[in-house]
Amino acid sequence: MDGQINLFGEYQEYPKVQEKPKGREKYKTMQQIHGTIDGKICKHCQHCRSIEYANKYYKCELWILSHSSATDIRLKNTACGLYKEKGR
Ligand code: SF4
């Protein structure tokens, strides 16, 4: 386990980095770029936004914002390395 002690004296693990897409394949998720943090989900992140029309859609404000379902995120997704707890 790799990690470091943060400014508040808490041990914080480095995000687990996923494999890079091969060739011309593009990154499809924030988790591919920034890695994942175990035990955290997008639902509790400051950057998670909901947009409501006929249904409710969830987007990450740090990712590409469009009206396409391709940019939707799931609330139960494992959090990426840029996760920020709501209310901090
Ligand atoms: S955890 Fe990462 S992908 Fe999920 S909402 Fe926050 S910044 Fe976006």
Side-chain angles (χ1 to χ4, degrees):
M1 293 207 194
D2 290 331
Q4 66 181 8
I5 308 288
N6 67 17
L7 291 173
F8 307 106
E10 302 159 345
Y11 182 77
Q12 198 170 12
E13 276 187 45
Y14 294 132
K16 292 178 189 166
V17 179
Q18 295 181 357
E19 210 173 290
K20 278 181 156 183
K22 297 198 173 33
R24 291 176 168 232
E25 212 174 295
K26 291 180 181 173
Y27 287 104
K28 291 179 183 155
T29 63
M30 291 285 281
Q31 286 81 356
Q32 281 181 315
I33 301 170
H34 302 289
T36 57
I37 298 176
D38 287 338
K40 305 282 183 188
I41 56 174
C42 286
K43 183 180 181 179
H44 302 128
C45 178
Q46 264 184 16
H47 303 296
C48 180
R49 294 278 175 260
S50 66
I51 299 169
E52 204 165 339
Y53 295 111
N55 294 315
K56 216 170 189 181
Y57 304 95
Y58 297 96
K59 307 276 181 185
C60 173
E61 67 181 10
L62 302 181
W63 189 242
I64 305 157
L65 291 177
S66 75
H67 292 279
S68 165
S69 62
T71 59
D72 286 357
I73 60 167
R74 294 194 179 104
L75 296 179
K76 286 185 180 175
N77 280 354
T78 308
C80 75
L82 299 182
Y83 174 86
K84 255 191 181 174
E85 190 86 32
K86 276 185 184 171
R88 279 197 176 182

